[in-house]
Amino acid sequence: MNHIKLYRTRKGIFAEYQQQWYHISVEWDELVNRQPLFSALRALLADVLSQPDIASIVRGDLLPPIGSQEVWAAGVTYQRSKVARMEESEMSGAAACYDKVYMAERPELFFKATPQRTVGHGDEIYIRRDSDWNVPEPELTLFVNREGNISGYTIGNDMSSRSIEGENPLYLPQAKTYERCAAIGPCLLVTELPIPSDTLIQMKIYRNGAMLFHDHISISQMKRTHTELVEYLYRGCRFLHGCYLMTGTCLVPGNGFTLQENDLVEIAIDHIGVLLNTVKAGV
């Protein structure tokens, strides 16, 4: 798959293309909204000298690949996610709503995070102090430009308080949106063609060096298409700088599992890389 990886770092923006590294002196929001983005980047890199010695700089100074973009998310896009939501909401009597959402024409879409509440690879993610059931949710995340075109992909972690959402579905904003509630990275993958449908998402969770959870899923198991989700999101919203859209998860730890401080969450997606974050209690 022909692709370019864009990295945002403390020392600027860098691109990796065909095993060569380039420093790009263009502001992030303007750069990622060029279209078609892959062709625009390839033309830009043709005029930039490669710098083979900057790979270590990039990896040591990573920031989340986000500028002024909001982060949104889709829910109940996989069968396993529907089942998990129904299980957590059984006591509230709201379990049936998730089955209806899964089967409905309109997808579930919700606001997830501002750039300020989004962290990158190697940063700390938070769990809510007023929740006793917190989980990570690994998700293929789309970058959609200001015109509504899918221009790239990254890894997303849609942190979630299952105890709060399970208490009442109307508490979803509190279960999903808080300080350091979202992680994306390590890069923005810009491709010439859409990402393959057999792309695998993997998640591992470690505690005190021991692996507590490991599972994987192909994005082909999604009930909805990426373009369908984007079309609904852009029906009622405009995004001056584009946005990120997490596409839902199917990797859900068992009902007896909750994250604890200092747990390590490792999410890998084919072609993109690995997103690694340490868990801390929130503010």
Side-chain angles (χ1 to χ4, degrees), residues 57 77 91 142 214:
I57 295 175
T77 56
M91 294 299 294
L142 314 176
H214 181 204

Side-chain angles (χ1 to χ4, degrees), residues 130-143:
D130 59 350
S131 171
D132 58 7
W133 191 8
N134 300 285
V135 296
E137 297 187 6
E139 307 188 17
L140 177 69
T141 300
L142 314 176
F143 172 71

Side-chain angles (χ1 to χ4, degrees), residues 76-90:
V76 201
T77 56
Y78 291 85
Q79 172 74 18
R80 177 67 184 96
S81 178
K82 180 197 77 168
V83 172
R85 295 296 179 264
M86 293 177 70
E87 290 172 348
E88 74 187 19
S89 300
E90 186 174 359

